[in-house]
Amino acid sequence: MERIYITTPLYYANAEPHLGSAYTMVITDTLARYYRALGYETFYLTGTDEHGDKIAQAAADAKVPPKEFTDRVSAAFRRIWDDCDITYDHFIRTTDTHHVQFVQEILSRVNESADIYFGK
């Protein structure tokens, strides 16, 4: 069985979903459904990126802590996609523990490789 991996951008959690993010979801959902219908093993990922100055500023403007702000915005993305029957397989948040651990592991490997390359 052939496999395909489909992903959206990880939406920046400084504001709730808008027409542009919905457009991306409709296109990627259509592709996921198409490949599933052809018999491909399909994995479709979406989620939110919850780090950055714009998010900190949006949270400050809303007078709430960044984590509380991103919890609300990320939930809005997920709720809207679920209400629209988007068929994603996994919704990731860059604050998820498993994501944080994975990124730390990758960066550790990059650092080790750089040390070897530069002779440290």
Side-chain angles (χ1 to χ4, degrees), residues 103-117:
V103 170
Q104 288 172 340
E105 173 63 27
I106 294 298
L107 292 177
S108 174
R109 289 181 188 178
V110 168
N111 189 43
E112 289 170 9
S113 295
D115 287 348
I116 292 167
Y117 181 78

Side-chain angles (χ1 to χ4, degrees), residues 32-45:
R33 290 170 189 259
Y34 172 76
Y35 281 105
R36 286 183 190 119
L38 292 178
Y40 282 69
E41 183 180 341
T42 305
F43 187 82
Y44 176 21
L45 174 82

Side-chain angles (χ1 to χ4, degrees), residues 39-54:
Y40 282 69
E41 183 180 341
T42 305
F43 187 82
Y44 176 21
L45 174 82
T46 193
T48 50
D49 181 351
E50 301 176 17
H51 301 287
D53 291 339
K54 287 185 179 183

Side-chain angles (χ1 to χ4, degrees), residues 63-75:
K63 297 179 177 37
V64 296
K67 178 73 166 109
E68 181 180 328
F69 184 82
T70 57
D71 285 349
R72 183 182 56 78
V73 173
S74 186

Side-chain angles (χ1 to χ4, degrees), residues 10-112:
L10 296 182
Y11 298 105
Y12 209 48
N14 64 322
E16 294 192 4
H18 52 76
L19 187 56
S21 49
Y23 174 78
T24 300
M25 293 302 291
V26 168
I27 297 298
T28 52
D29 186 59
T30 300
L31 285 169
R33 290 170 189 259
Y34 172 76
Y35 281 105
R36 286 183 190 119
L38 292 178
Y40 282 69
E41 183 180 341
T42 305
F43 187 82
Y44 176 21
L45 174 82
T46 193
T48 50
D49 181 351
E50 301 176 17
H51 301 287
D53 291 339
K54 287 185 179 183
I55 292 169
Q57 185 59 53
D61 291 347
K63 297 179 177 37
V64 296
K67 178 73 166 109
E68 181 180 328
F69 184 82
T70 57
D71 285 349
R72 183 182 56 78
V73 173
S74 186
F77 273 92
R78 189 173 213 155
R79 182 179 57 255
I80 289 169
W81 304 153
D82 290 347
D83 288 349
C84 292
D85 197 28
I86 301 294
T87 62
Y88 63 87
D89 294 298
H90 185 65
F91 188 99
I92 194 165
R93 298 176 62 180
T94 57
T95 56
D96 287 341
T97 302
H98 66 278
H99 177 72
V100 171
Q101 290 171 344
F102 182 78
V103 170
Q104 288 172 340
E105 173 63 27
I106 294 298
L107 292 177
S108 174
R109 289 181 188 178
V110 168
N111 189 43
E112 289 170 9

